[in-house]
Amino acid sequence: IYGSLTSQKIAGNFHFSLHAHDFQVLASIFPTRHHANMSHVIRHLSFGKDYPGLLNPLDKESHIFKEKTGAAEYYIKIVPTIYHKLDRSVIHTNQYSVTDFFRTQLDGYPALYFVYDINPIMVHVTEWKVSFLHYFTQLSAIIGGICVVAGQVHRLMRFLFVGDKGGVKIPMQSPGPQGSL
């Protein structure tokens, strides 16, 4: 099944089910509810336009039900999002998180429910790139850190293996021959 759905900005749900207005037709296709199976693969589900880096949690999600029949329920929390691109264009879209639940039904036919709620908060995502000066500063800090650590390791090795305390050594002068002028 492929499609899109337009709704108001309020909580709601949409579902796929085997409930039918003509029960005789449904009963002729599925003699018992145990023959009906709501196994499914969600290729893509989004609530608005996609933007770079957006991960939709239900994309490529699959649920295969081998023996049980019942209702699969997805509880979705939608967060409105504004994405600011480098070219100063703006995308108004939504992100979401999801919790899924499966319950076995004793009577009736299985169904697949998507229950969604829109959060009252909004997320602003801004795309930006790092300047060359910032990159150069970070690279210099990394190189400096490597040099400091290498110096400390060298000093530790000298202390452990040579017994050198690292202090400045002043050689003692031997007194010259006595009596010479």
Side-chain angles (χ1 to χ4, degrees):
I1 298 174
Y2 174 81
S4 63
L5 174 69
T6 304
S7 70
Q8 299 294 324
K9 290 188 176 185
I10 58 172
N13 71 68
F14 58 95
H15 64 274
F16 303 94
S17 65
L18 296 176
H19 306 136
H21 294 292
D22 191 354
F23 190 74
Q24 273 82 24
V25 174
L26 185 62
S28 67
I29 297 171
F30 300 107
T32 67
R33 68 173 187 87
H34 298 291
H35 290 97
N37 190 332
M38 286 304 286
S39 294
H40 58 279
V41 175
I42 301 171
R43 296 197 198 299
H44 179 72
L45 179 65
S46 64
F47 294 88
K49 296 178 182 177
D50 289 344
Y51 62 84
L54 176 65
L55 298 174
N56 293 315
L58 285 178
D59 285 357
K60 300 178 184 170
E61 183 76 22
S62 67
H63 285 260
I64 308 300
F65 305 118
K66 303 246 183 211
E67 296 180 20
K68 296 180 186 174
T69 185
E73 300 172 357
Y74 294 96
Y75 295 97
I76 301 169
K77 295 289 187 182
I78 300 173
V79 179
T81 304
I82 298 177
Y83 182 78
H84 301 273
K85 295 173 80 172
L86 277 176
D87 63 1
R88 299 189 190 270
S89 62
V90 176
I91 298 174
H92 293 271
T93 187
N94 297 290
Q95 310 180 59
Y96 66 92
S97 63
V98 66
T99 304
D100 59 344
F101 179 70
F102 178 79
R103 61 182 163 92
T104 305
Q105 288 181 322
L106 298 176
D107 58 349
Y109 285 93
L112 179 61
Y113 294 97
F114 295 87
V115 180
Y116 61 89
D117 187 19
I118 300 176
N119 286 339
I121 61 170
M122 179 177 284
V123 174
H124 287 268
V125 179
T126 304
E127 187 178 68
W128 59 286
K129 67 179 187 180
V130 178
S131 68
F132 179 74
L133 182 60
H134 184 77
Y135 170 75
F136 182 73
T137 304
Q138 285 183 329
L139 184 63
S140 299
I142 291 170
I143 292 171
I146 290 171
C147 290
V148 167
V149 170
Q152 294 296 329
V153 169
H154 176 70
R155 189 174 199 172
L156 178 67
M157 292 299 135
R158 276 181 41 196
F159 176 76
L160 291 175
F161 295 112
V162 179
D164 187 2
K165 303 294 186 236
V168 178
K169 294 182 180 176
I170 302 173
M172 302 279 296
Q173 293 185 1
S174 60
Q178 297 213 359
S180 56
L181 295 171

